[in-house]
Amino acid sequence: MYALLETVSDCEKGDLLEQLEELDLEILEDIDEEYADKLEFNEIEEELESKPKLEKVPIQKPKPTDESILDELTKMGRTQDIGRATFRDLGIKAELGWQTTIGKYTIKRTSVFRYRYAIEQH
């Protein structure tokens, strides 16, 4: 499960860390039950009674590129009637004109009086 930490999103990392912590405590309890008569010092019981401290690991998020943002939008099916403010909120850095090419995508303005765009893949 520790290998999953590298692949899950930031939202899911908290849940996964909680599950791992619970599993670690269950393993310690099982060890304590199995070997209680053989342990000279019951340090495991003390460990179980004390609340474990989780280290805060700073998560470095890679900055998304304009093309990766457009990839996500097309995966979600959001390719029509997208406002300029939406592109800015999502982090698109390119200046949007009537027809802007970003990687394998072309963003075309679809309205004269409003800033509305469509994403086309080529």
Side-chain angles (χ1 to χ4, degrees):
M1 288 182 77
Y2 282 104
L4 287 175
L5 282 175
E6 301 296 325
T7 60
V8 298
S9 69
D10 294 333
C11 299
E12 296 170 335
K13 273 193 185 186
D15 294 335
L16 186 58
L17 285 173
E18 287 177 19
Q19 290 176 359
L20 286 170
E21 180 182 334
E22 288 175 20
L23 289 173
D24 287 344
L25 290 176
E26 286 179 24
I27 290 170
L28 286 174
E29 288 173 358
D30 291 344
I31 291 171
D32 186 40
E33 286 176 18
E34 184 69 29
Y35 299 105
D37 57 334
K38 297 176 184 170
L39 294 174
E40 290 181 26
F41 305 102
N42 264 345
E43 297 169 356
I44 295 176
E45 277 187 27
E46 294 170 7
E47 185 66 30
L48 290 174
E49 291 171 1
S50 69
K51 188 164 188 154
K53 296 178 184 175
L54 292 177
E55 292 182 31
K56 293 286 182 183
V57 178
I59 299 171
Q60 296 178 350
K61 298 179 184 176
K63 300 243 180 190
T65 63
D66 289 353
E67 190 170 1
S68 67
I69 293 169
L70 295 174
D71 283 337
E72 290 298 317
L73 283 171
T74 55
K75 284 180 191 174
M76 294 180 345
R78 298 259 342 253
T79 59
Q80 300 295 319
D81 199 35
I82 303 170
R84 181 174 64 175
T86 303
F87 281 122
R88 294 289 171 237
D89 291 344
L90 291 173
I92 298 285
K93 303 284 187 246
E95 289 296 320
L96 300 176
W98 281 96
Q99 187 167 334
T100 306
T101 302
I102 300 174
K104 61 183 177 185
Y105 298 101
T106 300
I107 301 174
K108 290 185 178 180
R109 188 167 169 184
T110 57
S111 177
V112 175
F113 298 108
R114 297 177 18 203
Y115 290 101
R116 292 292 180 193
Y117 298 90
I119 302 171
E120 294 179 2
Q121 188 172 359
H122 48 130

